[in-house]
Amino acid sequence: MCGIYGFAGFKEEGLLDRMGRVIRHRGPDGQGRYEAPEGAPFSMGMQRLSIIDLEGGWQPVYNEDHSVAICYNGETYNYVELREELEARGHQFRTHSDTECIVHGYEEWGIDGVLKRMNGMFGFCIYDVRKREFFIARDRCGQKPMYYHHANGRFLFGSEAKSILQSQHYTAEVNIEAIDPYLTLRNVPEPQTMFKGIYKLPTSHYLHYKLADNSLKIARYWEVPLLDARTAKYKSDGEYFEALEHLFYDSVRLCMRSDVPVGAYLSAGVDSSLTVAAMTRYSSNINTYSVGFDSPVDETPAARETAAFLGTKHHEIICQPEDFDLLPKIVWHMDRPVGDALLIAFYKLAEGASKDLKVVLGGEGADEAFAGYSFQGVITKVEKMRRMIPGVTSIAAPIFAATPPGILNKFFTFPADLGSQGKKRVVEFLSKYGSRDLNHNFNALRTLWSEDERRDTYSEKFKNLATDAWMAKEKDKDKNGPFLDRLLKLQYDEWLQDWALIRQDKNTMAHSLEYRLPFLDHRLIELAFTMPAHLKINKGTDKFIERQLADKVFPQHIARRQKIPFYLPVEYFLDQPQFKALVADTLNPDAVKKRGYFDPAKVTRLLENMRSTREFVYCKQVMSLVVLELWHRVFVDKSIRFD
């Protein structure tokens, strides 16, 4: 696990060292660098976190005649099998690292061939000396980020955007067009970022760059497969269960390949609980870590019970009010604004685990494949009703509008009350359901700000930003897929990498900690998308087949424990001086007016609503504005510095 960076098409004295220094936290164990021969304008480097082949795995790694070189960030879990195959074809290895398999795999199968054979998480750059070209690639699910900038014949890339900021040829500017997507989703969907001119290489894509003409092309090598609902033929439930059990345990086995000890994050949920249970098959010495908030929605007692059942050495990290003071530094590590107070919890959890370990496993990815989020069940029910009774959603909207929020809470698995604003989201979702495509409905149910609310909150100068024109539509080729699978697939093009995974990668790597996710094994994902819907949602039970697997391991009260979404309960911190000071500093009328995007009076009213009602929607809206302001101060104003 490392951080990589580089540039092409120009020379700049000291740039490579600066690019590495600013992301040293991703790999503090050493540094590697590569300069293309024969004066070719290409340089790349890496910061190493030593996990596999501690002594011999230094980068860059080359093929036999040094005509191909690679800098690699990530882990190829099936590197042992790839090495055996490549050695049988005559390739000679100098190291025992997983990185070297990619070099020889590129020689043997080309970029498409090696990517399709890799099982892991990664971002890498591979340079071909003879062809004077290079490829940059990213893993199937986007566990490892990759940023790039291309202008005026100059190209820069890095695992973090802050490496690109080190060049004298790039000055940080705000991507104004990204503000409305951010406010809608609390993240900026790839390939855009909040930096003007800096992009993310999309998940499951690779970039091909030719030095001869400074041209680049981007191609996709994998995507979630969908069956055709009209012709789909399913196996028996028993066959699916047997396949899931085999693949899941094999995925955990592969994720535990390491030359250093491996631990795990453990929450109260079935995903991380199953992951840790599987780990105990392969090791009797597992350290587990959970995070809590000393609030009524704290998961730590349930996680503690699971850890005791599994016999792990368990650690608990508690977030305190003073941890809100960490938020500017966390935003610096994130590179991009992600409007969620939970960043603090992820940062603290990684900090605690990194005191003991370099590698932890987690349960992310199961909800996306096996339908573990409440909104998936809600949209599925609404679609079923709409098909049975056309126009029913328009009829239901005013009924829900008259329904007390407390009753609506029963439709959603969430540890906080929906409140008036949450109910407003549901009513707006139902009233417009029939006129939207699937992706717009998906986003409408999870957004904190409707289009009208965003327009109302913007200052006069920026009201034209409020639109849904930037929002991607479902691909035509997917519209014949089973409805639930169509909904699940949407998450692999935005939600998963831009919301769930980016928060974990940046916060674990802030503490030089590697985070591995067995449920993101592409074999498991592909299996899940061949299953019928009743194995995912069944009579109100989410992740049905996964819970059947848990039934073989845990007593029922653990295996069937209701999912509690992991969130930081901001409403319990409103009266704490640290939170008050943060909000007063970032969202006071003068600060809001100076930034210019929002109407100061509307932001003041939002703060008043948050304090008087303590509703979670208001709290989350406020945090999204706080994070956006901190991002500007760190990266644009440079009034807060950590580099």
Side-chain angles (χ1 to χ4, degrees):
M1 184 60 61
C2 314
I4 67 170
Y5 42 89
F7 55 94
F10 69 105
K11 298 289 185 179
E12 184 175 337
E13 188 69 28
L15 175 57
L16 202 63
D17 288 335
R18 296 195 301 274
M19 295 178 87
R21 191 179 307 120
V22 77
I23 61 167
R24 188 176 180 274
H25 49 273
R26 295 188 75 93
D29 295 334
Q31 185 182 59
R33 59 188 297 129
Y34 175 83
E35 304 280 355
E38 301 174 6
F42 174 77
S43 303
M44 64 178 172
M46 56 83 66
Q47 292 290 148
R48 187 184 184 205
L49 181 65
S50 303
I51 303 294
I52 293 175
D53 192 7
L54 304 184
E55 298 299 324
W58 299 98
Q59 299 181 33
V61 172
Y62 303 90
N63 64 339
E64 291 89 342
D65 63 2
H66 281 221
S67 63
V68 178
I70 188 172
C71 282
Y72 181 66
N73 167 32
E75 300 292 351
T76 305
Y77 303 133
N78 64 331
Y79 76 97
V80 174
E81 292 77 12
L82 289 176
R83 178 178 180 132
E84 291 173 353
E85 185 176 358
L86 288 162
E87 285 181 328
R89 291 172 177 264
H91 292 270
Q92 298 178 354
F93 283 71
R94 294 188 179 90
T95 76
H96 296 285
S97 72
D98 58 331
T99 305
E100 192 172 0
C101 291
I102 307 168
V103 172
H104 297 299
Y106 167 76
E107 287 184 292
E108 186 68 32
W109 303 304
I111 190 67
D112 272 292
V114 69
L115 285 168
K116 289 175 180 176
R117 287 171 171 82
M118 291 172 67
N119 183 342
M121 56 175 180
F122 52 82
F124 67 77
C125 181
I126 191 163
Y127 183 75
D128 192 315
V129 174
R130 295 189 182 97
K131 296 180 179 179
R132 290 170 65 93
E133 63 186 28
F134 58 88
F135 294 90
I136 297 175
R138 196 163 171 225
D139 65 76
R140 291 174 177 85
C141 293
Q143 295 179 71
K144 293 290 109 183
M146 184 62 67
Y147 300 84
Y148 71 93
H149 169 71
H150 186 217
N152 302 316
R154 289 185 286 266
F155 181 85
L156 299 108
F157 70 93
S159 297
E160 298 190 9
K162 57 180 67 70
S163 284
I164 296 172
L165 302 183
Q166 303 309 303
S167 174
Q168 64 186 14
H169 296 293
Y170 180 83
T171 301
E173 294 184 49
V174 181
N175 179 10
I176 298 297
E177 299 302 317
I179 292 175
D180 197 58
Y182 169 77
L183 212 60
T184 305
L185 305 173
R186 290 184 290 158
N187 68 78
V188 180
E190 60 183 37
Q192 297 290 326
T193 72
M194 194 60 78
F195 293 103
K196 184 178 180 180
I198 294 182
Y199 303 91
K200 281 184 78 178
L201 178 62
T203 293
S204 64
H205 285 68
Y206 65 83
L207 181 153
H208 181 195
Y209 195 98
K210 295 182 178 181
L211 291 178
D213 59 2
N214 290 314
S215 65
L216 68 82
K217 293 182 179 179
I218 294 175
R220 185 164 203 156
Y221 66 89
W222 181 86
E223 66 178 308
V224 172
L226 280 186
L227 299 177
D228 189 320
R230 300 165 299 181
T231 58
K233 294 182 180 180
Y234 296 107
K235 301 175 184 178
S236 69
D237 291 1
E239 288 176 296
Y240 282 119
F241 181 85
E242 183 178 346
L244 173 63
E245 184 174 33
H246 168 74
L247 277 180
F248 173 67
Y249 282 103
D250 190 58
S251 175
V252 172
R253 178 185 66 85
L254 291 180
C255 283
M256 291 186 71
R257 282 179 168 169
S258 171
D259 291 335
V260 297
V262 178
Y265 286 173
L266 180 62
S267 70
V270 67
D271 309 326
S272 63
S273 298
L274 261 179
T275 299
V276 176
M279 292 174 70
T280 62
R281 283 192 172 191
Y282 309 110
S283 174
S284 59
N285 182 26
I286 303 293
N287 279 266
T288 52
Y289 303 82
S290 64
V291 64
F293 314 102
D294 279 341
S295 76
V297 297
D298 206 318
E299 287 189 290
T300 49
R304 189 184 311 137
E305 179 187 28
T306 304
F309 177 80
L310 294 172
T312 68
K313 184 179 180 181
H314 193 57
H315 311 262
E316 294 177 0
I317 295 99
I318 303 299
C319 288
Q320 303 291 345
E322 55 266 28
D323 292 329
F324 278 90
D325 294 339
L326 295 169
L327 199 53
K329 186 174 185 179
I330 296 170
V331 169
W332 180 80
H333 276 291
M334 290 296 300
D335 273 339
R336 55 193 296 173
V338 175
D340 187 10
L342 199 55
L343 296 174
I344 299 169
F346 289 136
Y347 186 88
K348 291 283 292 184
L349 184 59
E351 180 183 49
S354 68
K355 294 176 181 178
D356 308 312
L357 299 167
K358 282 187 173 183
V359 181
V360 290
L361 271 60
E364 270 92 350
D367 290 323
E368 288 75 15
F370 298 104
Y373 295 115
S374 62
F375 61 75
Q376 295 159 342
V378 169
I379 295 179
T380 303
K381 290 176 183 176
V382 170
E383 178 64 15
K384 186 176 181 179
M385 288 191 300
R386 186 191 68 82
R387 293 181 179 181
M388 293 173 59
I389 311 172
V392 69
T393 54
S394 298
I395 298 171
I399 296 174
F400 273 76
T403 303
I407 295 178
L408 292 185
N409 288 333
K410 300 182 184 300
F411 291 86
F412 293 85
T413 305
F414 200 79
D417 291 338
L418 279 174
S420 63
Q421 289 301 297
K423 184 176 82 168
K424 189 176 179 181
R425 293 284 83 72
V426 174
V427 171
E428 196 266 348
F429 163 75
L430 289 171
S431 65
K432 297 183 179 180
Y433 183 88
S435 63
R436 289 171 166 149
D437 78 330
L438 184 56
N439 194 42
H440 283 68
N441 278 324
F442 166 52
N443 289 329
L445 190 59
R446 66 190 181 101
T447 187
L448 296 179
W449 313 75
S450 69
E451 185 177 327
D452 290 341
E453 287 177 320
R454 301 196 305 274
R455 185 175 294 107
D456 184 59
T457 306
Y458 287 131
S459 63
E460 287 298 324
K461 181 180 178 181
F462 289 97
K463 286 188 182 298
N464 65 323
L465 289 180
T467 178
D468 64 2
W470 52 265
M471 201 177 295
K473 293 184 177 180
E474 184 184 17
K475 299 170 185 174
D476 288 339
K477 67 183 181 67
D478 292 337
K479 292 180 180 178
N480 290 326
F483 181 80
L484 178 57
D485 288 344
R486 289 166 55 198
L487 176 61
L488 296 177
K489 183 176 180 179
L490 291 174
Q491 298 167 115
Y492 289 85
D493 283 334
E494 181 265 316
W495 164 281
L496 183 61
Q497 64 272 19
D498 289 319
W499 178 251
L501 300 182
I502 197 75
R503 298 179 301 177
Q504 290 285 19
D505 175 80
K506 295 298 181 66
N507 282 296
T508 52
M509 295 310 294
H511 298 286
S512 308
L513 181 69
E514 178 171 297
Y515 190 50
R516 301 181 176 183
L517 301 173
F519 279 107
L520 291 186
D521 187 313
H522 67 279
R523 300 172 301 163
L524 274 176
I525 296 169
E526 290 168 358
L527 173 66
F529 278 85
T530 67
M531 294 179 179
H534 74 264
L535 290 180
K536 298 163 189 173
I537 300 177
N538 193 318
K539 297 179 181 179
T541 298
D542 63 359
K543 294 183 286 194
F544 186 75
I545 192 170
E546 186 188 342
R547 293 187 185 279
Q548 287 184 314
L549 186 58
D551 287 337
K552 293 186 65 173
V553 178
F554 298 106
Q556 187 176 32
H557 72 283
I558 295 179
R560 298 287 168 163
R561 188 184 284 145
Q562 185 179 24
K563 177 182 176 63
I564 301 177
F566 186 42
Y567 92 115
L568 193 153
V570 173
E571 58 269 28
Y572 293 103
F573 292 91
L574 294 187
D575 300 322
Q576 298 295 330
Q578 293 86 355
F579 183 81
K580 286 183 174 181
L582 177 66
V583 173
D585 177 45
T586 55
L587 299 184
N588 66 75
D590 290 340
V592 174
K593 183 178 180 180
K594 180 180 178 182
R595 191 61 59 199
Y597 304 138
F598 307 111
D599 183 334
K602 298 298 173 59
V603 174
T604 297
R605 186 182 307 164
L606 171 62
L607 297 179
E608 292 170 351
N609 288 336
M610 177 188 68
R611 294 175 185 126
S612 62
T613 68
R614 308 178 88 87
E615 289 185 11
F616 84 95
V617 171
Y618 287 133
C619 293
K620 287 176 174 288
Q621 287 176 330
V622 167
M623 285 307 304
S624 67
L625 297 184
V626 167
V627 170
L628 182 61
E629 173 61 21
L630 288 175
W631 180 87
H632 280 77
R633 294 184 183 185
V634 170
F635 290 106
V636 181
D637 303 344
K638 295 183 174 59
S639 58
I640 304 174
R641 300 188 68 92
F642 297 99
D643 52 352

